[in-house]
Amino acid sequence: MDRLLTGLQPSGTLTIGNYSGGINQVLNYQKNYETFLFVPDMHATTVTQDPEALRRNIRNAVAVYLACGVDVNLPNMHLYIQSENLYHANLSWILECHAYFGEMSRMHQFKEKSKKNENFTCGLYTYPILMASDILLYDAKYVPTGIDQKQHVELARNLALRFNNRYKGEYFVCPESIIPKVGASIKDLQNPAKKMSKSCENPKSSIFLLDPENVVRKKIMSAVTDSEGKIYYDEENKAGLSNLITIYSIFSGLSIEQVVAKFDGAGYGDFKKDLANLLCERLVVIQDKYNQIINSSIIDDALDAGREFTTKIAKEKYEQIRKAVGYGR
Ligand code: TYM
């Protein structure tokens, strides 16, 4: 089985955007790949976090993965927390010493986030290298994410190739992104020029997987569309409506064309009501499961098993790399 790896930062409650780019892809692939699914809690501290809230968000994130249908009973599923395995940070240092200042300065997400806060941390800058370490430690071949992480996976690929060339060996597997054809970037409901995110200031912009039903309905009904009143997909000229069609497609399993055909001739109001019903139906099931497991031992049992398994693999890989570089005796 080829290895597939991904993680979702516990920097807040997960959104339907995270579902589309991250969790949904894991659900689609989990039976066919050896899957490494983890909580990148160290990535979350590239910006200031309240420790209590961070710890709560880590547990919540795991409960949400499981509630969505991640199956830890599959023998090929490994669920773990990044900071519980010290090799992620150790390998990250080695990779930092092989990454160039110039290439790191070209990372889109860093450029965007560092503009918002002039006191950004060094961690925000080196974040994509830690991400490369997450991936390369486990010889992951495929990395399913939304479009926003594509450049980071390319960096991981470049670092793997560079390292293999410099030390003349097949030390790292070169990873590839898997970006979904539909839903690679779910947009902000109030400003569809931006992606939907966990940390948006406007509460109407994002739908969280744990949002109550009435809140979901309100957010969908107030989502920005256009004044044409005709339902068809056109990302450029009808970004708001096209985003809602995309969300419908992800949660119904219908293609974009099928969604458009289903609502041919309908008004935006009816379409939005139907979309809100669809989302609520799915989210209620996720939330029921979430409530059943959030305080159960399933979470810790899965994380303990995941930590034990993945630490062994990471240790072996790290020892090889450490030797190649010439560290120690
Ligand atoms: P994060 O936590 O920002 O997002 C988690 C996943 O959700 C996807 N995503 C979206 N997809 C579609 N539409 C959106 N609006 C949207 N917003 C987020 C992201 O692309 C991602 O797949 N650096 C990563 C976490 C990470 C990681 C890794 C991922 C750390 N190490 C190794 C893969 C492999 C991040 O911040 O994702």
Side-chain angles (χ1 to χ4, degrees):
M1 260 184 177
D2 283 329
R3 288 185 177 165
L4 177 132
L5 176 145
T6 199
L8 297 93
Q9 278 195 59
S11 45
T13 315
L14 301 178
T15 68
I16 58 170
N18 298 132
Y19 181 89
S20 177
I23 300 177
N24 196 32
Q25 295 214 81
V26 172
L27 301 180
N28 290 336
Y29 293 118
Q30 62 181 346
K31 290 212 171 75
N32 305 321
Y33 293 93
E34 182 169 21
T35 304
F36 292 72
L37 175 61
F38 71 105
V39 184
D41 52 348
M42 289 156 72
H43 276 106
T45 57
T46 52
V47 296
T48 310
Q49 296 286 341
D50 169 57
E52 285 299 311
L54 178 59
R55 199 161 292 122
R56 219 176 23 248
N57 284 335
I58 293 168
R59 192 173 179 89
N60 286 358
V62 178
V64 168
Y65 299 171
L66 299 177
C68 287
V70 167
D71 186 356
V72 281
N73 292 319
L74 291 170
N76 53 304
M77 171 61 70
H78 314 298
L79 185 59
Y80 54 104
I81 296 177
Q82 184 187 38
S83 69
E84 291 188 356
N85 180 340
L86 304 182
Y87 296 105
H88 288 248
N90 279 357
L91 179 60
S92 188
W93 173 254
I94 297 181
L95 295 177
E96 274 187 40
C97 297
H98 294 77
Y100 300 119
F101 192 79
E103 71 187 334
M104 297 312 298
S105 306
R106 286 193 293 273
M107 292 290 129
H108 305 313
Q109 214 169 53
F110 168 72
K111 287 204 277 190
E112 201 184 296
K113 288 192 176 171
S114 58
K115 252 194 263 160
K116 287 187 198 151
N117 175 6
E118 61 181 38
N119 270 330
F120 61 83
T121 64
C122 293
L124 188 72
Y125 185 68
T126 56
Y127 158 125
I129 305 177
L130 179 60
M131 179 162 162
S133 158
D134 299 335
I135 299 168
L136 301 183
L137 259 185
Y138 301 101
D139 288 336
K141 190 161 176 199
Y142 298 110
V143 184
T145 67
I147 194 81
D148 59 336
Q149 298 300 318
K150 190 167 187 262
Q151 193 188 28
H152 294 161
V153 179
E154 271 159 20
L155 175 79
R157 214 182 143 75
N158 289 338
L159 289 174
L161 282 172
R162 192 174 302 156
F163 194 97
N164 291 350
N165 283 336
R166 187 162 308 164
Y167 298 96
K168 303 200 176 4
E170 290 301 306
Y171 291 100
F172 292 124
V173 167
C174 284
E176 275 172 44
S177 293
I178 309 185
I179 311 290
K181 287 204 181 74
V182 176
S185 183
I186 298 295
K187 303 300 181 193
D188 181 311
L189 297 178
Q190 294 299 317
N191 177 6
K194 292 196 320 197
K195 73 162 190 173
M196 182 181 285
S197 87
K198 295 179 206 106
S199 54
C200 191
E201 275 137 37
N202 183 347
K204 283 157 77 184
S205 292
S206 306
I207 294 181
F208 298 96
L209 294 172
L210 300 179
D211 269 347
E213 222 178 307
N214 61 330
V215 173
V216 173
R217 286 186 199 281
K218 270 197 201 134
K219 287 181 180 175
I220 290 290
M221 295 316 287
S222 63
V224 166
T225 47
D226 55 80
S227 54
E228 193 191 355
K230 234 180 130 198
I231 295 186
Y232 61 96
Y233 191 88
D234 178 348
E235 253 177 60
E236 216 167 286
N237 301 309
K238 290 166 80 76
L241 184 75
S242 300
N243 188 40
L244 298 180
I245 294 175
T246 301
I247 297 171
Y248 200 103
S249 164
I250 290 153
F251 283 88
S252 65
L254 298 176
S255 66
I256 296 287
E257 294 72 26
Q258 285 169 324
V259 177
V260 170
K262 183 175 162 97
F263 291 98
D264 185 31
Y268 290 175
D270 288 339
F271 168 60
K272 282 178 163 180
K273 263 189 216 149
D274 213 323
L275 172 59
N277 287 341
L278 174 72
L279 261 179
C280 287
E281 236 172 69
R282 177 77 175 112
L283 296 188
V284 162
V285 174
I286 292 173
Q287 291 168 15
D288 280 352
K289 275 203 196 147
Y290 171 90
N291 289 327
Q292 282 165 30
I293 58 181
I294 184 67
N295 294 316
S296 82
S297 60
I298 297 175
I299 295 178
D300 290 308
D301 291 349
L303 290 173
D304 287 348
R307 176 181 56 194
E308 198 179 319
F309 183 84
T310 56
T311 304
K312 265 191 220 139
I313 297 182
K315 180 176 190 321
E316 214 170 280
K317 175 63 74 182
Y318 180 73
E319 289 302 335
Q320 277 172 23
I321 301 305
R322 185 174 168 266
K323 228 184 194 172
V325 173
Y327 284 169
R329 282 184 274 172

